[in-house]
Amino acid sequence: MSVWTINGGNKLFGDVKAQGSKNAVLPIMAAAIITGCETELINCPELSDVGAAMDILRHLGCKAERRDGAVYIDSRGMNRTDIPHELMREMRSSVIFLGAILARAHRASISYPGGCELGARPIDLHLAALKSLGADIQEQGCNINCFDSGLIGTRINLKFPSVGATENAMLAACAAKGETVITNAAREPEIVDLQEFMRKLGVNISGAGTSVVTIDGFGTRRSVKHKIMNDRIVSATAMCCVAVTGGSITLNEVVPADFETAMAALEYMGCDIERGECTVKITCNTALRACYPIVTRPYPDFPTDIQPLLMAACLTAAGTTEFTENIFENRYRHVPEMCKLGADIVVEDRVARVTGVKRLQGAEVSATDLRGGAALVAAALGADGRTVIDDNGHIARGYEDFDRLLANLGADLSYRA
Ligand code: UD1
């Protein structure tokens, strides 16, 4: 059981160096097997999800080890094509290994993936993409067995721009004969980072960051070194924490455009934001007002991952903010916990209406998922008195040393893993 104890009320001041991105590193670790080479990933965040991906790589017969903030992967000796259920259930992103294993070995067996319980998280789009490349997929209960006798490049039109399905299709398609064009592809910055990495591996790929991604095989196998992009969700999290507590922090080595929708919302609420080329300074020294309606949609619109965090900032903002969650059906599981702190939130189907209260009061709460857990930490930093959060390891899946980051900024808290 991992527990946070937070004494709210301290303003946050200081500098933050964003960590490497969880959502970028996980598909890149899967991609590290496609050509059978050595890979050095620097700026690799130390997260339990990264540990889970390393366990999968080792199970497959690859070497995977962490040294000084980098992860080294040697996939030359890969000798298995299955991922057992115990490893699959650790995180949803394990499904990305399906396309990667198939590209490398023409067969793969996995079970349905785990991860945050954010409602139904089907993988039909992943499987449809692999099928259109010519993979034969058989589902038996929880198991998925996949074979191919030579993938063929084709046009894959995703019904919805799923991040994971786009990545799986990119990975499988690099072993296909001829060109593959993915349309209605997800446009998240992490997909651009995956493309950069695949290019270094020798894959002919273009278009990531737009709705059309084209892949046309790979050339010479080479070993690569790649710096993982910084985590835009962690940057937005730190900013939301300052919006809750007041104070001023500077984020370094960031790409401000990657989390512009979050900054625009915080700015509207009354935070002062200075955007540099690769820095962002947020200062918050006035009472906030409610935000305009927030509707979560695929990038470049407002990210579902930042919805709970912005909600934390709205809990004491004057007026009512309406959130509409369009991506995950269960992404309001933090709401009852926030209400234990005295928040006024009414949920009706996909819509949550948050009316700012004067003060929040510390309480005992439970984190039920990664971003919802971080949002509870943010809310607790602004609450009167002490909040104890039982987080069941959720926050460590996506935030590296989050307690130290906040303590360095002046928060009064302790964390027991
Ligand atoms: C990724 C991110 C996660 C983020 C999410 C949406 C990683 C490791 N995780 O998750 O942090 O919250 O994008 O931005 O990058 N869907 C289907 N069928 C499918 C696939 C998805 O119906 O085959 C649905 C999902 O149930 C969900 C929506 O599409 O409602 C978005 O899912 P997707 O974009 O695939 O998210 P993930 O890749 O799982």
Side-chain angles (χ1 to χ4, degrees):
M1 193 171 87
S2 39
V3 177
W4 294 75
T5 305
I6 299 172
N7 295 308
N10 287 6
K11 293 187 175 193
L12 302 182
F13 293 95
D15 276 43
V16 176
K17 184 200 158 293
Q19 68 180 49
S21 161
K22 169 180 90 75
N23 289 356
V25 74
L26 297 174
I28 285 175
M29 289 176 79
I33 67 175
I34 54 181
T35 59
C37 68
E38 290 171 287
T39 307
E40 178 183 352
L41 303 177
I42 53 177
N43 196 34
C44 195
E46 198 154 350
L47 306 171
S48 52
D49 272 9
V50 171
M54 288 171 77
D55 288 342
I56 290 175
L57 287 165
R58 290 189 197 110
H59 171 84
L60 293 172
C62 306
K63 290 183 188 150
E65 63 178 63
R66 171 178 282 284
R67 263 182 277 138
D68 308 326
V71 164
Y72 297 83
I73 299 166
D74 182 350
S75 66
R76 289 173 299 177
M78 179 175 146
N79 55 12
R80 296 188 71 120
T81 58
D82 67 303
I83 307 178
H85 182 63
E86 310 85 78
L87 294 176
M88 283 301 294
R89 70 169 179 217
E90 289 299 311
M91 60 172 179
R92 178 170 165 85
S93 308
S94 50
V95 71
I96 306 301
F97 278 90
L98 182 59
I101 298 173
L102 199 62
R104 172 78 181 271
H106 303 288
R107 59 171 55 231
S109 304
I110 63 166
S111 66
Y112 271 86
C116 282
E117 288 170 21
L118 300 173
R121 292 182 84 169
I123 55 168
D124 54 318
L125 302 173
H126 299 241
L127 301 184
L130 300 183
K131 276 182 191 160
S132 45
L133 287 166
D136 176 8
I137 298 178
Q138 283 156 19
E139 296 176 66
Q140 285 171 324
C142 275
N143 297 320
I144 300 166
N145 298 313
C146 211
F147 307 87
D148 79 73
S149 44
L151 297 175
I152 308 285
T154 185
R155 192 177 179 86
I156 300 173
N157 182 41
L158 294 174
K159 273 192 302 188
F160 176 85
S162 151
V163 174
T166 302
E167 294 165 342
N168 237 331
M170 285 162 70
L171 294 175
C174 68
K177 195 158 176 253
E179 183 181 86
T180 297
V181 179
I182 306 169
T183 55
N184 199 26
R187 290 181 281 165
E188 269 69 359
E190 292 76 15
I191 291 178
V192 180
D193 206 22
L194 175 61
Q195 169 174 281
E196 289 310 304
F197 177 76
M198 290 173 71
R199 279 187 175 157
K200 288 180 188 168
L201 287 176
V203 179
N204 300 316
I205 176 167
S206 61
T210 75
S211 306
V212 182
V213 179
T214 306
I215 304 106
D216 193 359
F218 54 86
T220 333
R221 287 179 171 74
R222 20 182 140 127
S223 294
V224 303
K225 180 172 178 169
H226 182 75
K227 181 171 187 245
I228 303 296
M229 66 177 276
N230 279 336
D231 197 311
R232 64 194 166 102
I233 314 292
V234 174
S235 298
T237 300
M239 295 180 83
C240 289
C241 288
V242 176
V244 169
T245 61
S248 181
I249 64 166
T250 301
L251 305 169
N252 296 300
E253 296 177 42
V254 293
V255 179
D258 286 351
F259 46 101
E260 179 53 42
T261 49
M263 289 194 292
L266 292 168
E267 210 161 32
Y268 177 89
M269 292 172 72
C271 300
D272 182 36
I273 296 177
E274 290 170 44
R275 297 161 178 79
E277 205 176 310
C278 50
T279 58
V280 170
K281 182 176 182 189
I282 175 168
T283 304
C284 187
N285 48 24
T286 49
L288 298 182
R289 63 165 163 161
C291 194
Y292 45 72
I294 295 291
V295 182
T296 66
R297 291 202 190 91
Y299 190 87
D301 283 337
F302 197 91
T304 174
D305 284 357
I306 304 178
Q307 171 262 107
L309 296 149
L310 188 72
M311 188 178 286
C314 292
L315 299 179
T316 53
T320 299
T321 307
E322 186 178 281
F323 289 83
T324 305
E325 172 57 54
N326 282 319
I327 307 294
F328 292 115
E329 60 188 26
N330 264 358
R331 205 155 210 173
Y332 286 139
R333 302 202 329 156
H334 49 281
V335 166
E337 304 304 307
M338 286 178 167
C339 290
K340 290 181 190 163
L341 300 174
D344 177 356
I345 310 170
V346 178
V347 176
E348 236 175 285
D349 197 20
R350 289 175 173 270
V351 176
R353 282 185 195 85
V354 181
T355 302
V357 294
K358 286 230 151 43
R359 304 287 313 160
L360 297 174
Q361 182 61 47
E364 289 196 10
V365 295
S366 300
T368 51
D369 60 80
L370 165 58
R371 305 301 171 192
L376 287 175
V377 170
L381 290 172
D384 292 334
R386 192 160 84 159
T387 298
V388 178
I389 306 172
D390 168 7
D391 96 338
N392 201 16
H394 285 296
I395 294 174
R397 287 190 41 228
Y399 293 87
E400 179 179 71
D401 291 336
F402 193 39
D403 54 327
R404 207 178 310 161
L405 182 153
L406 294 169
N408 285 343
L409 297 175
D412 178 0
L413 54 76
S414 66
Y415 173 67
R416 187 162 41 84

